[in-house]
Amino acid sequence: MSFLEALQAGTFPFFHEQDRFRSLLEPKTPPELEAMAQAAHAQTIQFYGKTVRVFAPLYLSNECINVCRYCGFSRSNPILRLTLSPEEAEQEARCLAEQGFRSLLLVAGEHPKWVSPGYVASCIRRIRPYFPSISIEIAPLETEEYREIVDSGAEGVVVYQETYLPQAYSSLHLSGPKRDFAWRLQAPERAYRAGFRRIGIGALLGLAPWREDAFALAAHTAWLLKHAWRSYLTISLPRLRPAAGGFSPEYPLSDREFAQLHCALRILFPQVGLVLSTRESPSLRDRLIPLGVTLVSAGSRTDPGGYTGAGRERLHRTIGGRSEPPNPMESAEKAEEQFALSDERSPRAIADRIRELGYEPVWKDWDECLTSAAST
Ligand code: SF4
C-alpha cells in the first residue's frame, strides 16, 4: 500500500503507535506536559547526545509559477524577483562557508524555466567544493531528474506537503503544478529511489487544524521509516510567518502546543531529526533544543542574494507573472524574502548560545569520503 492510498483510505496499518500518538496530541495539563518534555529530552540525549547540527539556507530564486495563498513568492504577488547565476550562487555559498557553515540547504521557488534540474545541478557543482553536505528544497521532480541532482553532489531533499488535508490543500493552492496534491506527496518516494541520503518532510502549521496535519505527518513518517529506511529522515514544523500577500493563518497554534508537538514526535520517533528554522523567536528556539530539536538554521536570509547582494542589478518586478523591464531605481533594493525572520542572531551568536545550553553545535557531520570508504 502506498502512502497516498493509505491517506485516501484513512487507514494506516503500518503506523503501529497511532493511538499513542493521538493521545500525546491531546490537550495536556502543565504536569503532563512537563512529563512529556522530560521523556522527549531523555530520548534525544539517548539517540543524539548533546549535539545540534547547524545549517544555512541559500535561496537561489524567488521566481514561482504557483499561486499559494500563504507565500511571499506566490506568482500573484507583484514583488522584486531574482534568480542567481551559478557564479552568484557560489559567491553566496563562499560567504556562508567563511562563516563556518558546512551544511547548506538550496531553496528556490517553483519555476521550470528559471529553476530547471540542470540549473540546480550546475549550482551544486559550483558550491560542492565548499560544502560536504548540500540539500535542496525545490519543486518536486521526476525520479530521473532527482538522479541528476544526486549525481551533481546533493545528498538531501526537503519536500513539505504544506497540509495533508486534500480539501484545505486545494483551497490554498490556487493555480500552477503545485495543485497536484498526489504528485507532491509522492516526491519523497521518488527522491529516495533516486538515491538521496537524507529526506526531509513537514507541514506548514497554521494552514489547517494542526492536530490533523500532525497525525498525517506522523503517519507519513512511519511509512517512510518502513519503506525508505536507508535514508535519514527529518521532520520540520514551520509555522506561518508574515509575508508578501498578507495571508493570515486560520489555524494558529500556540508556543505551548508547538512545544507539545515537538515532544510527541520525539517520543514516538527517537531516530528522526527535528528541524527548527529562524521563523521562531530566539527564546523559543533555545527552549526547544533540549526537547528534541537536532537541526537548526542560523543567520538565515530568505531572499536570493541576501548574504552578499549578488545579482541585485538584475532585479525585476513581476506583475501577474509578467516581468517588467529592470528599473535602475530598484537595483538598490533587494529581492523579496519568502517570509519574515524571527531569530536574527548571527550564526556565531547562535552557536555560542547552543554551547551555553550545554550542547555542541555541529557544523559538519558528513563527508563524501565516508561513502567512498564504505563502498570500497
Ligand atoms: S510556497 Fe513554494 S510553490 Fe508556493 S508560491 Fe511559495 S515558493 Fe512558490
Side-chain angles (χ1 to χ4, degrees):
M1 175 188 262
S2 72
F3 182 66
L4 176 64
E5 288 165 344
L7 192 68
Q8 285 166 340
T11 55
F12 305 97
F14 47 83
F15 187 13
H16 302 302
E17 296 204 81
Q18 50 188 287
D19 292 340
R20 185 174 172 218
F21 189 68
R22 278 200 199 280
S23 89
L24 287 168
L25 295 187
E26 282 168 6
K28 301 288 177 209
T29 63
E32 286 170 339
L33 193 54
E34 178 56 31
M36 277 181 71
Q38 284 180 12
H41 176 68
Q43 292 276 51
T44 311
I45 299 294
Q46 189 184 340
F47 274 79
Y48 288 92
K50 293 196 118 189
T51 59
V52 178
R53 187 170 169 239
V54 185
F55 72 97
L58 193 170
Y59 277 68
L60 296 174
S61 173
N62 61 356
E63 301 282 353
C64 195
I65 53 168
N66 293 306
V67 176
C68 305
R69 284 173 49 210
Y70 50 84
C71 179
F73 292 172
S74 177
R75 180 177 185 268
S76 53
N77 290 332
I79 59 167
L80 288 173
R81 298 191 192 251
L82 174 64
T83 301
L84 299 180
S85 67
E87 295 74 20
E88 289 161 348
E90 181 183 349
Q91 181 183 326
E92 292 268 288
R94 284 173 61 171
C95 169
L96 290 166
E98 282 161 14
Q99 295 175 53
F101 288 104
R102 293 295 177 268
S103 297
L104 197 63
L105 175 65
L106 297 180
V107 188
E110 302 192 4
H111 201 299
K113 179 177 148 207
W114 294 102
V115 190
S116 65
Y119 160 78
V120 176
S122 308
C123 291
I124 292 168
R125 280 192 289 270
R126 299 285 301 218
I127 290 168
R128 191 80 182 96
Y130 311 97
F131 285 90
S133 172
I134 300 174
S135 296
I136 56 158
E137 185 182 342
I138 62 173
L141 300 176
E142 298 278 4
T143 305
E144 276 312 308
E145 293 172 324
Y146 274 136
R147 213 162 265 142
E148 181 181 356
I149 306 274
V150 171
D151 290 345
S152 68
E155 54 143 9
V157 66
V158 173
V159 190
Y160 302 146
Q161 188 60 24
E162 319 295 15
T163 173
Y164 284 85
L165 311 184
Q167 234 176 334
Y169 187 95
S170 81
S171 73
L172 291 158
H173 302 102
L174 302 183
S175 74
K178 194 168 175 178
R179 279 185 62 72
D180 190 338
F181 178 89
W183 171 251
R184 191 170 190 87
L185 189 71
Q186 293 175 313
E189 298 162 44
R190 296 193 298 275
Y192 179 68
R193 284 199 294 277
F196 278 103
R197 210 183 67 80
R198 297 181 198 260
I199 295 178
I201 59 172
L204 184 52
L205 301 173
L207 298 178
W210 72 267
R211 287 185 173 85
E212 290 179 49
D213 259 335
F215 180 81
L217 174 64
H220 197 187
T221 302
W223 193 93
L224 286 168
L225 286 173
K226 189 171 161 63
H227 295 276
W229 54 272
R230 281 195 305 271
S231 289
Y232 173 64
L233 191 62
T234 61
I235 299 176
S236 191
L237 302 164
R239 283 195 294 184
L240 272 169
R241 294 281 301 148
F247 180 83
S248 56
E250 263 182 79
Y251 304 95
L253 78 165
S254 66
D255 286 357
R256 195 170 183 280
E257 292 167 328
F258 190 59
Q260 181 183 349
L261 176 52
H262 279 82
C263 292
L265 288 167
R266 173 52 70 229
I267 290 167
L268 217 67
F269 303 112
Q271 68 278 53
V272 163
L274 290 182
V275 187
L276 191 59
S277 80
T278 50
R279 289 169 181 258
E280 301 300 336
S281 70
S283 63
L284 182 62
R285 276 171 39 110
D286 293 351
R287 278 180 284 142
L288 286 177
I289 284 175
L291 303 187
V293 167
T294 50
L295 298 96
V296 295
S297 52
S300 306
R301 297 284 175 275
T302 66
D303 52 308
Y307 297 107
T308 65
R312 277 195 189 156
E313 65 285 355
R314 292 195 320 285
L315 279 173
H316 59 276
R317 192 171 293 278
T318 57
I319 299 179
R322 278 195 311 281
S323 274
E324 298 279 288
N327 175 346
M329 297 302 291
E330 290 186 333
S331 65
E333 298 180 37
K334 62 195 221 28
E336 183 71 32
E337 57 186 10
Q338 190 175 29
F339 53 83
L341 301 170
S342 188
D343 186 348
E344 303 204 61
R345 294 175 293 182
S346 70
R348 285 290 149 198
I350 289 175
D352 288 346
R353 185 68 185 127
I354 291 171
R355 276 189 213 96
E356 281 169 21
L357 293 167
Y359 290 75
E360 185 57 33
V362 176
W363 300 86
K364 174 184 176 181
D365 72 345
W366 179 252
D367 196 285
E368 201 178 12
C369 71
L370 294 174
T371 37
S372 321
S375 58
T376 52

